[in-house]
Amino acid sequence: MVFDEADRIATIELEQDRDVVRARSRVADAMKECGSSELMQTRFVTAVSEVVRNALTHAGGGTLAIYAMPNKRQVGIECRDCGKGIEDIDAAMADGFTTRRGSMGRGLGGAKRLSKTFAIDSSPGKGTTVRMIGACSLR
Amino acid sequence: MNAAAIYAVEGVLLVSITSDITDTDIIDLQEALSKRIADTECRGVVVDISALEIVDTFVGRVLAQLTSVARLLDAETYVVGMRPAVAMTLVELGMYLPENHTALTLSHALDKMRQSGLIDGLRRG
Ligand SMILES: Nc1ncnc2c1ncn2[C@@H]1O[C@H](COP(=O)(O)OP(=O)(O)O)[C@@H](O)[C@H]1O
Ligand SMILES: [Mg+2]
């Protein structure tokens, strides 16, 4: 999934937990602008919350880019970090897998279920990029 | 703390969480609430999440922890005001919040707590 044809409408640096709130609210606005239903907005904003939180807690920060898609009924995001990366992506995607004691380990699997399209790219030592598209309605 | 406030109402502690609460705020809230429960010896806590547009796995876990800590201090917790879209999303995340009692509104939660004898109808917080 690439966003070549898409318009970048916002960029948010993820440095502290307040930025997670800003990221969520900017994506919520983009979903509203597309005429999203409340359910579809809630699902996608929750997915975005999971991946930006991961960039902060597991990678020490990153950057979120938000895209207006050629399909006007969709919103795209790219969350990129230069953290430690993920050893085993299949394991990390599984519900219940976490490397942080007490955490739920349901973020990545959940984000995939809650988005229309989900792609993750990670290499140990280099960083992680998650791209997702959220749809404004099920149709 | 401004992102969440704790009020004593009708013999219970009412916690209302605002939409822009951060992870740090929510951990501070956990600490403040446990202290208030111990100080007031209250038996019931109501957490109002109607202002929350989303509940992700982190916030879900903190809600479960609030409830567990309160229970060790002999207080039961009701989560009220969950939006339908939030409930559906939590189920998709596989977060069923089994530790929490839920009620649709504050007054339903108070009714349930009166019925179970956690608060008596006469006492005022
Ligand atoms: N951006 C990231 N950088 C490095 N590791 C990550 C990143 N995102 C996820 N991970 C790894 O994948 C695991 C699972 O992530 P997730 O499903 O969100 O659960 P949790 O965040 O509760 O641990 C994390 O514990 C972490 O080891
Ligand atoms: Mg996570």
Side-chain angles (χ1 to χ4, degrees), chain A residues 17-18 21 24 28 38-39 41-43 45-46 49-50 53 95 102-104 106-107 110-111 113-114, chain B residues 19-25 53-59 61 65 83 85-86 88-89 92-95:
Chain A
D17 62 2
R18 192 142 300 277
V21 177
R24 283 202 298 249
E38 189 186 343
L39 177 60
Q41 177 186 321
T42 303
R43 292 172 76 243
V45 172
T46 306
S49 186
E50 294 294 346
R53 201 193 282 296
D95 275 352
S103 199
M104 300 297 305
R106 292 179 169 278
R113 288 193 292 276
L114 293 171
Chain B
S19 62
D20 58 350
I21 193 162
T22 66
D23 302 0
T24 320
D25 294 332
E53 278 172 13
I54 67 130
V55 173
D56 61 10
T57 60
F58 174 81
V59 175
R61 176 168 67 96
Q65 279 176 358
R83 298 176 183 208
V86 168
M88 286 186 258
T89 304
E92 278 188 88
L93 288 172
M95 302 276 296

Side-chain angles (χ1 to χ4, degrees), chain B:
Chain B
M1 178 186 321
N2 43 26
I6 306 174
Y7 308 96
V9 183
E10 305 242 2
V12 307
L13 291 177
L14 174 63
V15 183
S16 91
I17 299 185
T18 61
S19 62
D20 58 350
I21 193 162
T22 66
D23 302 0
T24 320
D25 294 332
I26 208 162
I27 287 165
D28 290 347
L29 170 68
Q30 196 166 31
E31 199 180 328
L33 180 63
S34 338
K35 284 198 186 112
R36 283 288 286 277
I37 295 172
D39 292 348
T40 57
E41 298 184 8
C42 93
R43 305 276 321 279
V45 175
V46 177
V47 181
D48 182 358
I49 61 165
S50 56
L52 286 187
E53 278 172 13
I54 67 130
V55 173
D56 61 10
T57 60
F58 174 81
V59 175
R61 176 168 67 96
V62 175
L63 288 174
Q65 279 176 358
L66 282 181
T67 301
S68 302
V69 172
R71 188 163 294 153
L72 286 174
L73 298 170
D74 198 26
E76 285 298 312
T77 304
Y78 279 79
V79 171
V80 304
M82 186 183 294
R83 298 176 183 208
V86 168
M88 286 186 258
T89 304
L90 278 174
V91 169
E92 278 188 88
L93 288 172
M95 302 276 296
Y96 302 100
L97 304 186
E99 302 83 355
N100 292 289
H101 299 290
T102 52
L104 284 179
T105 63
L106 169 62
S107 78
H108 285 134
L110 291 173
D111 284 348
K112 288 186 178 190
M113 284 195 266
R114 275 186 206 107
Q115 279 161 23
S116 58
L118 284 171
I119 52 173
D120 59 74
L122 298 173
R123 214 172 94 203
R124 285 282 182 276

Side-chain angles (χ1 to χ4, degrees), chain A residues 50 54 58 107:
Chain A
E50 294 294 346
N54 279 350
H58 302 299

